[in-house]
Amino acid sequence: MGIATAQVCSMRQVATMVGSPRIVTGKSVLHPVGDPILDLAGERALRRRILLDALKALESDGSRDAA
Amino acid sequence: MESFRIVHYLNQFFGQLGGEAAAGAPPQIKPGALGPGRVLQGELGEGFEIVATAICGDNRFADAPEAAADELVGLIAEFRPQLVIAGPAFNSGRYGQSCGTLCAAVQDRLGIPAITGMYEENPGVEQFRRRILIVRTGATARSMAETLRNLAALTRRIAAGEAIERPADAGCFPHGLKRPVVREENAAKRAVDMLLKKLGGEPFATEVSVPSFDRVAPAKLGAPLAAATVALVTDGGLVVRGNPERMPNGYCDRFTTIPVSGLERFTTDLVEAHHGGYDTQFVNQDLNRLVPLDAMRELEREGAFGRLHETVYATAGLGMSLTNARKIGREIGARLRQEGVQAVILTST
Amino acid sequence: MRLEFRPAAVHRAVFGAATRIENGTLTVARDELRTLLSVDRRLADVDIELANPGEDCRITDIFDVFEPRFKAQGGNFPGVIERAARVGDGPTAVARGAAVMILNAMSDRYKLTVDMRGPSAEFSPYAHIANVCVRSQPAPGLERPGYYRALKEAGVRAATYIGEAASRAASEQNEILTLLPPSSDRSTLPRVAYIYMLASQQMPTEADEPILYGDNVRNLLPTLLHPNEVLDGAVLAPYWNFGGDTFTAQNHPLIRELYRRHGRDLTFAGVVATIAAETEVGRSRSAVMAANLAHDTLGADAVVLTKYGGGIPESATMETYDACEALGMKGAIVIWTHGGDGSIEGSLTFMSPRANAVVSCGLNEQSIELPPVARVIGSASIGPLIMEAEGETRPSNGPLHLRFLFLAGAADQLGGGRRSIEEY
């Protein structure tokens, strides 16, 4: 039995193709959980939101994409 | 002139030891051809001799495949064959396993070719086609006669010293491998040719086939999130500053670890991103953009999950082969399991 | 648009008093060209060297390659130095059989190498033409984006300068390239559009990086181009040279092939230019828009797609392919192949299950053994290149184990090569 994993990534189709069951859309391949055009507060908020989605995905049974 | 020497392998049923009851029969060998082997001998004719028939019960084999293959190889070696033919196994999963495992072992240890036959849905096809030639068969023993003819034909080619460059042309499953070639025409011309055939409804051969991927069953969270230990993992190339472990920036076959116990956030004096497949300038300004340590600490304090694991696991995903990806994934998973981690957030570039 | 190429044939290049092309010989006035390029103060120690086919010579540090061209009415690589102007129409002189090679003195893991003879020659067009190599150093304190911009401008200047010599020479085998606009084309042949990825933003383009009419295509939304614009200097290779040189665009293999068959077994419907965005949202948007342009504006029955750059664009290409097929167009893709462990599984980072017509432009890991050479144009050592460890350098003149990816002209992703893979 494996370990429940939520994957934050921008390459959604690659992840789907290999069967990654809990995919959360990241911001960009260049900065999955950040965004240099935002200010620090904006980035923190973005990062937090993505992580909350990831945590929620962990609680799901992994049969459907998370976000 | 001496005949081309063949040893045939059969399971308990075709080897006439009995049905399911005999599925535990131990590895054994008998001189000459048996059962379908007699028909095969007939197909092969002069110049070929099935000098012995090795037999093992499918269950016995499945219980300890390496040991069974070992023992059988030892028995087979005594007869000095130039080729081993196993089965055919048609759609039988266990028999296919035995045939495939034995053939691979014979090739590895005796250095002679070993061939078998299976139906396309037999799991042994995917498992063994890379390493051995597997003749296509029908789903059941109703296709025995034709299969034996095909095995005989393939045997004749092998005996003549022919290298089977394209298994598909010899009635076998493709190995599922690829090799570089230089073609007559450039890719642009080949693409337009292919497209026009496709448009016209004519058959065409793609140069890169669509692979099938093994599906991994999603693991369930082992504990309620509020109590769970969560680890951060990345394929974005995070390394300790200065890259002391000399992690390559691509084509990795290993991973590295970054201790984060007591660390509130990543800072550029502690870590860096080393990855050749994307421009790392943005994450190297703030590594939390790649592995969100700061936000995780915040959420940890708020009780959104139990605790953050003290080790971050990282590798660089550029050009990573599937074999290595599986290996690294398994190794990291095993370590995390041992370290009491219940969940992972993987950030990918 | 009616483009007329007027080629002046070049078989070899020599230095001489005045730059001209005569009887197949390109004479280059070294000091004049050096002075012309040194006007750009961003470049220091500019020098010119020549390499002819068959010489025991290796050129390394290659940043980009340009075919010398000249348009008397203006529009020489529009938008880079000259203002943007209409190209793809009217006469263009070509020094055919010559190239300008711009060398990069900074360390860069994507620099290219070519031998003028030996086992690699069959794989690169540059081994068979006369190369005018421009070496330079960045001015003290100049950062990479500034130097690279200056290098592109040097390529444009040198290519135009030599192209101008071609315009004064006798031309042979003039060639007319023209297509009827979609609205006037009454042919019943299948309409084929080409979806052309110019760059990948996984390595974001610099602010003044000139790619399309001098634009940096940073957030390029799919747009239409006439194939003549691509062939006539509107497109330069990105600084991140990983898929084709400017020379490759000027002689675009897929565009050339579609033109060759235009009116015979297909109608070349046009070119949709795009990029690979680094966000998922961006890639989806590009896929939708490109498919719409091909289907509804160009009226294409079928599309061919190529990519540029690394692995991330594979996803962009496949998504665009799927969008096209969903609209009823048939697609074919030209794309590279990863070796992985040798199995067919890992050939692409991403593959659509519907991608049933794929042509491989070669195995990425495949390399070639090159012998030592007598003369090197470029720096004394090569490497480290991508996939190699830090500090993995070797003498440029020595025997070289080189991946095809780094052999200039050998691994273009635009369909020019014959290297491929075979599944078995």
Side-chain angles (χ1 to χ4, degrees):
Chain A
M1 190 56 191
I3 302 179
T5 301
Q7 182 177 14
V8 178
C9 68
S10 160
M11 305 292 297
R12 168 172 217 91
Q13 289 158 313
V14 177
T16 311
M17 181 180 79
V18 299
S20 180
R22 297 180 177 88
I23 303 167
V24 175
T25 305
K27 183 62 198 174
S28 158
V29 301
L30 304 173
H31 35 80
V33 284
D35 191 343
I37 33 174
L38 301 175
D39 66 6
L40 206 52
E43 269 204 284
R44 290 256 170 84
L46 167 72
R47 190 168 303 148
R48 193 188 156 86
R49 208 183 56 236
I50 293 175
L51 285 178
L52 285 170
D53 283 344
L55 291 172
K56 202 161 92 178
L58 286 171
E59 289 183 303
S60 79
D61 65 0
S63 59
R64 252 197 341 269
D65 287 346
Chain B
M1 205 188 79
E2 238 200 51
S3 290
F4 187 78
R5 300 170 66 82
I6 298 163
V7 167
H8 190 196
Y9 170 78
L10 294 169
N11 72 355
Q12 78 284 353
F13 174 76
F14 290 101
Q16 299 172 341
L17 298 182
E20 269 309 299
Q28 54 198 274
I29 197 159
K30 301 182 178 178
L34 262 182
R38 292 213 178 91
V39 180
L40 179 57
Q41 176 69 74
E43 288 293 340
L44 287 164
E46 289 269 323
F48 296 85
E49 192 186 346
I50 296 178
V51 295
T53 303
I55 307 168
C56 184
D58 283 337
N59 284 351
R60 170 61 187 267
F61 203 115
D63 282 342
E66 300 243 329
D70 242 354
E71 215 181 313
L72 284 163
V73 169
L75 293 171
I76 289 170
E78 307 268 303
F79 285 85
R80 300 173 294 108
Q82 292 155 280
L83 172 74
V84 167
I85 300 176
F90 305 109
N91 203 15
S92 162
R94 282 176 308 156
Y95 194 11
Q97 278 296 303
S98 313
C99 289
T101 306
L102 177 64
C103 285
V106 163
Q107 280 187 170
D108 286 345
R109 303 234 290 283
L110 300 184
I112 58 171
I115 63 179
T116 181
M118 295 186 206
Y119 178 60
E120 63 192 9
E121 288 176 19
N122 192 324
V125 170
E126 245 345 279
Q127 209 183 334
F128 293 104
R129 69 182 177 128
R130 264 195 225 187
R131 306 163 61 189
I132 62 178
L133 285 168
I134 305 175
V135 164
R136 286 180 182 271
T137 75
T140 69
R142 275 209 295 269
S143 69
M144 177 69 85
E146 191 189 336
T147 301
L148 293 179
R149 275 196 295 277
N150 293 337
L151 279 166
L154 181 57
T155 298
R156 275 189 280 277
R157 290 170 74 167
I158 293 173
E162 211 185 299
I164 311 292
E165 303 265 288
R166 286 196 195 85
D169 293 345
C172 298
F173 293 98
H175 285 309
L177 300 172
K178 64 202 177 216
R179 58 188 161 216
V181 293
V182 178
R183 295 187 188 266
E184 287 293 311
E185 298 163 327
N186 72 11
K189 174 152 201 306
R190 300 189 326 258
V192 176
D193 283 345
M194 195 183 281
L195 185 59
L196 291 175
K197 287 204 177 94
K198 184 172 172 180
L199 263 173
E202 296 162 49
F204 62 92
T206 186
E207 295 179 0
V208 183
S209 56
V210 181
S212 57
F213 280 91
D214 36 313
R215 286 259 157 281
V216 179
K220 291 267 180 35
L221 198 52
L225 197 52
T229 301
V230 183
L232 290 173
V233 179
T234 186
D235 55 40
L238 188 71
V239 296
V240 167
R241 176 112 224 144
N243 196 9
E245 285 180 39
R246 303 245 141 283
M247 286 292 287
N249 67 354
Y251 300 82
C252 291
D253 60 354
R254 55 193 171 97
F255 57 89
T256 186
T257 53
I258 294 110
V260 294
S261 184
L263 201 58
E264 275 300 308
R265 54 196 313 278
F266 282 125
T267 47
T268 56
D269 58 321
L270 297 174
V271 286
E272 55 181 294
H274 189 58
H275 189 298
Y278 72 97
D279 186 345
T280 55
Q281 60 166 307
F282 301 112
V283 302
N284 272 323
Q285 287 160 5
D286 177 359
L287 278 310
N288 300 283
R289 285 176 178 154
L290 174 62
V291 180
L293 180 58
D294 58 357
M296 284 298 275
R297 285 293 183 210
E298 202 177 86
L299 291 166
E300 184 184 32
R301 270 195 296 277
E302 292 167 19
F305 59 93
R307 54 177 277 275
L308 183 63
H309 189 49
E310 62 260 9
T311 309
V312 168
Y313 285 79
T315 186
L318 166 65
M320 183 176 285
S321 74
L322 288 174
T323 307
N324 283 336
R326 287 192 186 101
K327 178 179 84 110
I328 291 171
R330 282 201 190 95
E331 283 170 10
I332 294 179
R335 296 260 294 252
L336 291 175
R337 165 118 295 152
Q338 237 180 3
E339 290 160 14
V341 169
Q342 278 108 12
V344 166
I345 294 180
L346 167 65
T347 50
S348 298
T349 59
Chain C
M1 274 196 175
R2 186 180 178 284
L3 175 60
E4 186 189 358
F5 279 130
R6 294 181 180 167
V10 171
H11 303 301
R12 63 188 198 115
V14 300
F15 286 127
T19 296
R20 53 202 247 261
I21 296 173
E22 197 173 337
N23 296 325
T25 296
L26 163 64
T27 305
V28 178
R30 191 181 199 170
D31 284 342
E32 186 177 70
L33 181 52
R34 234 193 329 232
T35 305
L36 170 68
L37 298 180
S38 300
V39 164
D40 186 340
R41 309 294 290 274
R42 294 173 295 190
L43 299 177
D45 303 333
V46 176
D47 203 359
I48 316 295
E49 292 191 54
L50 304 177
N52 284 301
E55 286 179 357
D56 188 358
C57 176
R58 174 172 295 153
I59 308 168
T60 190
D61 291 345
I62 299 169
F63 176 69
D64 198 2
V65 185
F66 293 73
E67 183 168 54
R69 304 275 187 88
F70 185 70
K71 296 186 80 68
Q73 73 271 39
N76 293 290
F77 301 97
V80 183
I81 299 175
E82 290 183 23
R83 297 179 49 164
R86 180 173 169 84
V87 296
D89 202 14
T92 298
V94 185
R96 185 136 289 150
V100 168
M101 289 202 160
I102 302 295
L103 273 51
N104 175 7
M106 287 189 174
S107 73
D108 187 319
R109 283 173 170 267
Y110 289 90
K111 294 199 287 190
L112 305 170
T113 298
V114 72
D115 281 4
M116 297 308 293
R117 72 181 194 195
S120 63
E122 70 168 287
F123 297 104
S124 172
Y126 305 138
H128 308 278
I129 60 180
N131 294 306
V132 178
C133 307
V134 177
R135 292 192 295 113
S136 68
Q137 291 292 328
L142 185 62
E143 307 262 337
R144 190 182 297 269
Y147 181 51
Y148 283 10
R149 172 75 198 200
L151 290 181
K152 290 289 180 182
E153 290 190 23
V156 164
R157 285 198 176 89
T160 306
Y161 170 81
I162 295 175
E164 210 257 323
S167 74
R168 288 183 273 110
S171 69
E172 53 191 52
Q173 299 183 319
N174 290 6
E175 184 187 13
I176 309 279
L177 292 162
T178 189
L179 299 170
L180 288 173
S183 46
S184 320
D185 197 322
R186 295 276 165 266
S187 164
T188 54
L189 293 170
R191 297 182 59 77
V192 180
Y194 168 43
I195 301 184
Y196 178 20
M197 183 187 293
L198 301 176
S200 168
Q201 298 299 348
Q202 70 196 106
M203 296 291 187
T205 52
E206 300 288 346
D208 65 349
E209 182 166 341
I211 294 173
L212 179 61
Y213 282 96
D215 183 78
N216 69 11
V217 302
R218 185 76 183 81
N219 289 300
L220 183 77
L221 292 179
T223 192
L224 294 179
L225 290 177
H226 192 287
N228 289 6
E229 297 176 88
V230 179
L231 297 176
D232 203 23
V235 175
L236 269 64
Y239 293 163
W240 181 35
N241 185 326
F242 203 45
D245 309 305
T246 295
F247 187 104
T248 320
Q250 292 171 288
N251 292 282
H252 197 301
L254 204 31
I255 289 182
R256 278 296 190 170
E257 178 65 18
L258 288 166
Y259 243 128
R260 197 174 67 81
R261 301 166 82 149
H262 172 75
R264 291 197 310 179
D265 39 24
L266 55 87
T267 296
F268 190 177
V271 177
V272 178
T274 185
I275 51 145
E278 79 278 22
T279 62
E280 204 215 324
V281 150
R283 285 191 296 273
S284 298
R285 181 184 298 130
S286 290
V288 167
M289 293 181 74
N292 284 351
L293 284 172
H295 186 255
D296 299 292
T297 302
L298 296 180
D301 301 301
V303 292
V304 185
L305 303 99
T306 61
K307 73 162 194 67
Y308 196 91
I312 285 156
E314 294 174 21
S315 193
T317 300
M318 292 292 168
E319 205 173 336
T320 307
Y321 169 90
D322 278 343
C324 289
E325 290 253 335
L327 293 177
M329 294 181 284
K330 298 277 183 264
I333 298 169
V334 174
I335 202 162
W336 67 5
T337 303
H338 302 292
D341 58 2
S343 76
I344 61 173
E345 273 190 315
S347 291
L348 287 170
T349 310
F350 179 67
M351 187 157 189
S352 163
R354 293 158 287 278
N356 61 3
V358 180
V359 164
S360 168
C361 51
L363 201 63
N364 287 346
E365 292 82 345
Q366 193 187 2
S367 21
I368 188 167
E369 298 301 322
L370 302 183
V373 295
R375 176 186 172 220
V376 170
I377 301 176
S379 39
S381 72
I382 290 178
L385 301 170
I386 198 72
M387 303 175 217
E388 296 171 355
E390 214 43 65
E392 192 172 328
T393 68
R394 47 257 190 236
S396 307
N397 64 354
L400 199 55
H401 173 84
L402 191 69
R403 278 202 173 82
F404 278 100
L405 285 179
F406 303 112
L407 184 63
D412 79 78
Q413 299 188 44
L414 307 181
R418 295 184 298 120
R419 283 175 53 238
S420 178
I421 58 128
E422 176 184 50
E423 295 182 346
Y424 66 99

